[in-house]
Amino acid sequence: MKKPKWIVVTHGGAGSSKKVLDAVTLAARTGMRMLRKKNSALDAVEEAVVVMEDDPRFNAGTGSVFRIDGTIEMDASLMDSEFHCGAVATIKGVRNPIRVARKVLESPHILLAGSGATEFARRMGFTYHSPVTRRALRRLSRVQGWLRSGRLPKYAHKWKSYSLDTVGAVAMDSRGIFATSSSTGGTSIALPGRVGDTPLIGCGIYAGPCGAVSVTGVGEAIIRQVLSKSVYDKLVAGRSASEACKWGISLYDPSIPMGIIVVNADSGAGASNTGMPVCILAR
Ligand code: GLY
């Protein structure tokens, strides 16, 4: 069978509703348009994620959930198979954390966090943007109600009550370079300063000469398995994109929402143990 020239796979988060599939598809089409115009896989995964960060239905960029103290902190990262990588953690007040992560990638550093990340963004020309939405405010008031009443959902059996809908993309360009990206507002019941898998290379994302991986779900569970690198290693061992996704999901109890997207030179694939809107486009 003829190998595809370009591939883009996007997801709208483990546990997200199918109702956001329109934006997940628009994100993938945006990525494909970039590739058709001879942009890099890195450009494609950045622009795909920007589409979802700008859609207030996702927990990324505008629409990100609040921490329990009523602040919004966002994480984002991207990487390509030539090992260029950049990430931001707990950044505040920017419209597109993924664009700041791209600027970090172009700097001598890989990960900037907290006030340093926000200050870096301002110096790079990213003006203040409030990511607050009515939906996130409603969620904050529900969570603060839980906390006040002492009915905080417990880890491992009520993860589905957390907000997890991270967004992500993987792509292959016409040069055979792979790239991956991810962006999130984190989980909605979290302390300020909490960092999940998304900005950690090897956990939320990984790319190398055999393909690219982006994952979504409970950050703490993903970090323990160094999930993206572990799934990538299955590609190195010769497994297909679909087999690698399924293997990654099999590591988790079904009560822990988890989703994985993968691209290699043959195909793109996605798998999840819960609802996860995915779009796979190849040409
Ligand atoms: N996977 C997103 C997070 O846990 O922050």
Side-chain angles (χ1 to χ4, degrees):
M1 209 168 64
K2 212 172 143 222
K3 293 209 181 204
K5 269 198 287 191
W6 311 301
I7 307 174
V8 176
V9 186
T10 52
H11 77 75
S16 287
S17 152
K18 280 214 172 66
K19 288 185 190 153
V20 297
L21 190 58
D22 61 322
V24 174
T25 304
L26 178 65
R29 286 199 182 127
T30 302
M32 284 299 271
R33 199 164 53 242
M34 298 295 293
L35 296 178
R36 213 173 299 124
K37 290 184 182 164
K38 304 281 178 240
N39 292 290
S40 67
L42 207 49
D43 295 327
V45 296
E46 178 182 343
E47 294 308 317
V49 159
V50 164
V51 168
M52 294 185 280
E53 285 181 337
D54 285 346
D55 188 318
R57 295 173 295 171
F58 295 101
N59 174 21
T62 304
S64 289
V65 295
F66 284 90
R67 307 292 162 121
I68 57 172
D69 65 343
T71 59
I72 292 181
E73 297 175 336
M74 300 167 286
D75 304 332
S77 65
L78 70 182
M79 177 175 189
D80 74 11
S81 51
E82 293 178 319
F83 302 107
H84 303 114
C85 31
V88 288
T90 64
I91 192 167
K92 288 182 177 168
V94 294
R95 178 169 164 178
N96 295 113
I98 197 72
R99 290 219 192 280
V100 187
R102 179 67 185 262
K103 290 287 179 200
V104 177
L105 178 148
E106 289 160 8
S107 82
H109 302 306
I110 290 179
L111 170 61
L112 291 180
S115 56
T118 308
E119 175 63 15
F120 172 79
R122 299 287 175 255
R123 285 182 185 274
M124 289 292 126
F126 294 92
T127 53
Y128 175 78
H129 170 82
S130 168
V132 174
T133 57
R134 283 215 190 102
R135 176 176 170 252
L137 283 168
R138 280 197 300 273
R139 172 100 198 154
L140 175 66
S141 125
R142 199 156 62 240
V143 167
Q144 288 181 334
W146 285 338
L147 293 171
R148 270 194 294 272
S149 68
R151 286 189 299 111
L152 183 65
K154 294 234 172 13
Y155 178 87
H157 66 97
K158 287 228 175 121
W159 268 115
K160 285 186 168 49
S161 67
Y162 280 57
S163 192
L164 295 162
D165 30 3
T166 305
V167 302
V170 292
M172 180 185 75
D173 65 27
S174 55
R175 295 178 302 142
I177 302 292
F178 302 101
T180 172
S181 62
S182 187
S183 181
T184 188
T187 52
S188 84
I189 309 178
L191 291 169
R194 178 262 185 191
V195 176
D197 58 294
T198 301
L200 304 182
I201 306 302
C203 298
I205 62 164
Y206 195 76
C210 293
V213 181
S214 182
V215 310
T216 166
V218 180
E220 285 73 5
I222 293 168
I223 292 167
R224 286 188 186 102
Q225 296 285 355
V226 197
L227 186 59
S228 287
K229 176 64 163 61
S230 303
V231 169
Y232 174 79
D233 286 344
K234 295 293 162 190
L235 298 177
V236 176
R239 302 270 196 105
S240 70
S242 167
E243 286 167 347
C245 283
K246 286 184 191 139
W247 174 84
I249 296 297
S250 76
L251 298 175
Y252 294 96
D253 184 275
S255 65
I256 303 176
M258 206 53 66
I260 304 173
I261 55 172
V262 169
V263 66
N264 70 3
D266 299 320
S267 63
S272 177
N273 60 7
T274 183
M276 181 177 76
V278 176
C279 181
I280 303 171
L281 298 178
R283 200 54 223 265

PDB file of all heavy atoms in Angstrom, residues 75 164 166 184-187 194-198 215-220 222, ligand 1:
ATOM      1  N   ASP A  75      -0.712  24.784  30.891  1.00  0.00           N
ATOM      2  CA  ASP A  75       0.504  24.054  30.483  1.00  0.00           C
ATOM      3  C   ASP A  75       0.416  23.754  28.980  1.00  0.00           C
ATOM      4  O   ASP A  75      -0.677  23.460  28.485  1.00  0.00           O
ATOM      5  CB  ASP A  75       0.603  22.698  31.195  1.00  0.00           C
ATOM      6  CG  ASP A  75       0.567  22.794  32.710  1.00  0.00           C
ATOM      7  OD1 ASP A  75       0.982  23.827  33.255  1.00  0.00           O
ATOM      8  OD2 ASP A  75       0.131  21.804  33.330  1.00  0.00           O
ATOM      9  N   LEU A 164     -10.828  17.100  32.477  1.00  0.00           N
ATOM     10  CA  LEU A 164      -9.526  16.638  31.982  1.00  0.00           C
ATOM     11  C   LEU A 164      -9.259  16.988  30.530  1.00  0.00           C
ATOM     12  O   LEU A 164      -8.217  16.615  30.010  1.00  0.00           O
ATOM     13  CB  LEU A 164      -9.466  15.101  32.096  1.00  0.00           C
ATOM     14  CG  LEU A 164      -9.504  14.516  33.501  1.00  0.00           C
ATOM     15  CD1 LEU A 164      -9.879  13.061  33.441  1.00  0.00           C
ATOM     16  CD2 LEU A 164      -8.187  14.699  34.192  1.00  0.00           C
ATOM     17  N   THR A 166      -7.827  18.024  28.022  1.00  0.00           N
ATOM     18  CA  THR A 166      -6.604  18.476  27.347  1.00  0.00           C
ATOM     19  C   THR A 166      -6.791  18.329  25.833  1.00  0.00           C
ATOM     20  O   THR A 166      -7.523  17.452  25.400  1.00  0.00           O
ATOM     21  CB  THR A 166      -5.459  17.532  27.781  1.00  0.00           C
ATOM     22  OG1 THR A 166      -5.393  17.526  29.189  1.00  0.00           O
ATOM     23  CG2 THR A 166      -4.129  17.928  27.197  1.00  0.00           C
ATOM     24  N   THR A 184      -3.273  22.353  27.955  1.00  0.00           N
ATOM     25  CA  THR A 184      -4.300  22.067  28.964  1.00  0.00           C
ATOM     26  C   THR A 184      -4.384  23.170  30.016  1.00  0.00           C
ATOM     27  O   THR A 184      -3.397  23.880  30.252  1.00  0.00           O
ATOM     28  CB  THR A 184      -3.989  20.721  29.677  1.00  0.00           C
ATOM     29  OG1 THR A 184      -5.089  20.379  30.516  1.00  0.00           O
ATOM     30  CG2 THR A 184      -2.747  20.799  30.536  1.00  0.00           C
ATOM     31  N   GLY A 185      -5.550  23.236  30.659  1.00  0.00           N
ATOM     32  CA  GLY A 185      -5.699  24.056  31.866  1.00  0.00           C
ATOM     33  C   GLY A 185      -5.498  23.207  33.105  1.00  0.00           C
ATOM     34  O   GLY A 185      -5.720  23.675  34.220  1.00  0.00           O
ATOM     35  N   GLY A 186      -5.127  21.947  32.918  1.00  0.00           N
ATOM     36  CA  GLY A 186      -4.900  21.036  34.053  1.00  0.00           C
ATOM     37  C   GLY A 186      -6.195  20.394  34.520  1.00  0.00           C
ATOM     38  O   GLY A 186      -7.194  20.384  33.799  1.00  0.00           O
ATOM     39  N   THR A 187      -6.193  19.866  35.723  1.00  0.00           N
ATOM     40  CA  THR A 187      -7.412  19.271  36.275  1.00  0.00           C
ATOM     41  C   THR A 187      -8.115  20.338  37.115  1.00  0.00           C
ATOM     42  O   THR A 187      -7.468  21.252  37.643  1.00  0.00           O
ATOM     43  CB  THR A 187      -7.094  18.043  37.139  1.00  0.00           C
ATOM     44  OG1 THR A 187      -6.113  18.404  38.094  1.00  0.00           O
ATOM     45  CG2 THR A 187      -6.575  16.905  36.300  1.00  0.00           C
ATOM     46  N   ARG A 194       0.242  23.111  40.684  1.00  0.00           N
ATOM     47  CA  ARG A 194       0.251  21.701  40.247  1.00  0.00           C
ATOM     48  C   ARG A 194       0.630  21.618  38.755  1.00  0.00           C
ATOM     49  O   ARG A 194       0.122  22.362  37.925  1.00  0.00           O
ATOM     50  CB  ARG A 194      -1.147  21.101  40.478  1.00  0.00           C
ATOM     51  CG  ARG A 194      -1.303  19.655  40.016  1.00  0.00           C
ATOM     52  CD  ARG A 194      -1.937  19.573  38.646  1.00  0.00           C
ATOM     53  NE  ARG A 194      -2.210  18.204  38.238  1.00  0.00           N
ATOM     54  CZ  ARG A 194      -2.560  17.870  36.996  1.00  0.00           C
ATOM     55  NH1 ARG A 194      -2.677  18.792  36.073  1.00  0.00           N
ATOM     56  NH2 ARG A 194      -2.791  16.628  36.695  1.00  0.00           N
ATOM     57  N   VAL A 195       1.551  20.714  38.431  1.00  0.00           N
ATOM     58  CA  VAL A 195       1.942  20.493  37.034  1.00  0.00           C
ATOM     59  C   VAL A 195       1.622  19.050  36.680  1.00  0.00           C
ATOM     60  O   VAL A 195       2.037  18.128  37.386  1.00  0.00           O
ATOM     61  CB  VAL A 195       3.450  20.782  36.824  1.00  0.00           C
ATOM     62  CG1 VAL A 195       3.865  20.465  35.397  1.00  0.00           C
ATOM     63  CG2 VAL A 195       3.771  22.234  37.152  1.00  0.00           C
ATOM     64  N   GLY A 196       0.884  18.857  35.599  1.00  0.00           N
ATOM     65  CA  GLY A 196       0.553  17.503  35.144  1.00  0.00           C
ATOM     66  C   GLY A 196       1.546  17.011  34.112  1.00  0.00           C
ATOM     67  O   GLY A 196       2.695  17.460  34.043  1.00  0.00           O
ATOM     68  N   ASP A 197       1.085  16.101  33.273  1.00  0.00           N
ATOM     69  CA  ASP A 197       1.956  15.475  32.271  1.00  0.00           C
ATOM     70  C   ASP A 197       2.246  16.379  31.072  1.00  0.00           C
ATOM     71  O   ASP A 197       3.275  16.242  30.410  1.00  0.00           O
ATOM     72  CB  ASP A 197       1.279  14.202  31.743  1.00  0.00           C
ATOM     73  CG  ASP A 197      -0.083  14.531  31.132  1.00  0.00           C
ATOM     74  OD1 ASP A 197      -0.978  14.954  31.894  1.00  0.00           O
ATOM     75  OD2 ASP A 197      -0.252  14.378  29.905  1.00  0.00           O
ATOM     76  N   THR A 198       1.289  17.291  30.787  1.00  0.00           N
ATOM     77  CA  THR A 198       1.299  17.989  29.487  1.00  0.00           C
ATOM     78  C   THR A 198       2.625  18.669  29.144  1.00  0.00           C
ATOM     79  O   THR A 198       3.109  18.526  28.017  1.00  0.00           O
ATOM     80  CB  THR A 198       0.119  18.984  29.420  1.00  0.00           C
ATOM     81  OG1 THR A 198      -1.079  18.225  29.586  1.00  0.00           O
ATOM     82  CG2 THR A 198       0.070  19.736  28.107  1.00  0.00           C
ATOM     83  N   VAL A 215      -0.668  12.438  24.587  1.00  0.00           N
ATOM     84  CA  VAL A 215      -1.621  11.716  25.443  1.00  0.00           C
ATOM     85  C   VAL A 215      -2.489  12.689  26.235  1.00  0.00           C
ATOM     86  O   VAL A 215      -2.156  13.853  26.406  1.00  0.00           O
ATOM     87  CB  VAL A 215      -0.920  10.711  26.393  1.00  0.00           C
ATOM     88  CG1 VAL A 215       0.038   9.833  25.643  1.00  0.00           C
ATOM     89  CG2 VAL A 215      -0.207  11.422  27.521  1.00  0.00           C
ATOM     90  N   THR A 216      -3.609  12.188  26.718  1.00  0.00           N
ATOM     91  CA  THR A 216      -4.549  12.967  27.513  1.00  0.00           C
ATOM     92  C   THR A 216      -5.116  12.081  28.615  1.00  0.00           C
ATOM     93  O   THR A 216      -5.235  10.876  28.428  1.00  0.00           O
ATOM     94  CB  THR A 216      -5.688  13.519  26.623  1.00  0.00           C
ATOM     95  OG1 THR A 216      -6.754  13.999  27.451  1.00  0.00           O
ATOM     96  CG2 THR A 216      -6.270  12.470  25.697  1.00  0.00           C
ATOM     97  N   GLY A 217      -5.451  12.685  29.736  1.00  0.00           N
ATOM     98  CA  GLY A 217      -5.993  11.908  30.856  1.00  0.00           C
ATOM     99  C   GLY A 217      -5.455  12.448  32.162  1.00  0.00           C
ATOM    100  O   GLY A 217      -5.053  13.613  32.247  1.00  0.00           O
ATOM    101  N   VAL A 218      -5.422  11.606  33.154  1.00  0.00           N
ATOM    102  CA  VAL A 218      -5.012  12.030  34.497  1.00  0.00           C
ATOM    103  C   VAL A 218      -3.488  12.164  34.545  1.00  0.00           C
ATOM    104  O   VAL A 218      -2.744  11.179  34.488  1.00  0.00           O
ATOM    105  CB  VAL A 218      -5.486  10.998  35.545  1.00  0.00           C
ATOM    106  CG1 VAL A 218      -5.071  11.441  36.942  1.00  0.00           C
ATOM    107  CG2 VAL A 218      -6.993  10.813  35.457  1.00  0.00           C
ATOM    108  N   GLY A 219      -3.014  13.408  34.660  1.00  0.00           N
ATOM    109  CA  GLY A 219      -1.583  13.687  34.551  1.00  0.00           C
ATOM    110  C   GLY A 219      -0.723  12.860  35.486  1.00  0.00           C
ATOM    111  O   GLY A 219       0.330  12.336  35.089  1.00  0.00           O
ATOM    112  N   GLU A 220      -1.167  12.714  36.740  1.00  0.00           N
ATOM    113  CA  GLU A 220      -0.349  11.986  37.723  1.00  0.00           C
ATOM    114  C   GLU A 220      -0.159  10.526  37.282  1.00  0.00           C
ATOM    115  O   GLU A 220       0.938   9.959  37.420  1.00  0.00           O
ATOM    116  CB  GLU A 220      -1.006  12.062  39.106  1.00  0.00           C
ATOM    117  CG  GLU A 220      -0.863  13.410  39.815  1.00  0.00           C
ATOM    118  CD  GLU A 220      -1.725  14.534  39.227  1.00  0.00           C
ATOM    119  OE1 GLU A 220      -2.539  14.274  38.307  1.00  0.00           O
ATOM    120  OE2 GLU A 220      -1.581  15.676  39.691  1.00  0.00           O
ATOM    121  N   ILE A 222      -0.297   9.451  34.182  1.00  0.00           N
ATOM    122  CA  ILE A 222       0.505   9.456  32.944  1.00  0.00           C
ATOM    123  C   ILE A 222       1.994   9.599  33.287  1.00  0.00           C
ATOM    124  O   ILE A 222       2.844   8.902  32.724  1.00  0.00           O
ATOM    125  CB  ILE A 222       0.039  10.612  32.026  1.00  0.00           C
ATOM    126  CG1 ILE A 222      -1.385  10.354  31.516  1.00  0.00           C
ATOM    127  CG2 ILE A 222       1.007  10.803  30.865  1.00  0.00           C
ATOM    128  CD1 ILE A 222      -2.048  11.549  30.851  1.00  0.00           C
TER     129      ILE A 222
HETATM  130  N1  GLY B   1      -3.495  15.606  31.258  1.00  0.00           N
HETATM  131  C1  GLY B   1      -3.686  16.900  31.760  1.00  0.00           C
HETATM  132  C2  GLY B   1      -3.308  17.069  33.156  1.00  0.00           C
HETATM  133  O1  GLY B   1      -3.406  16.140  33.951  1.00  0.00           O
HETATM  134  O2  GLY B   1      -2.918  18.144  33.513  1.00  0.00           O
END
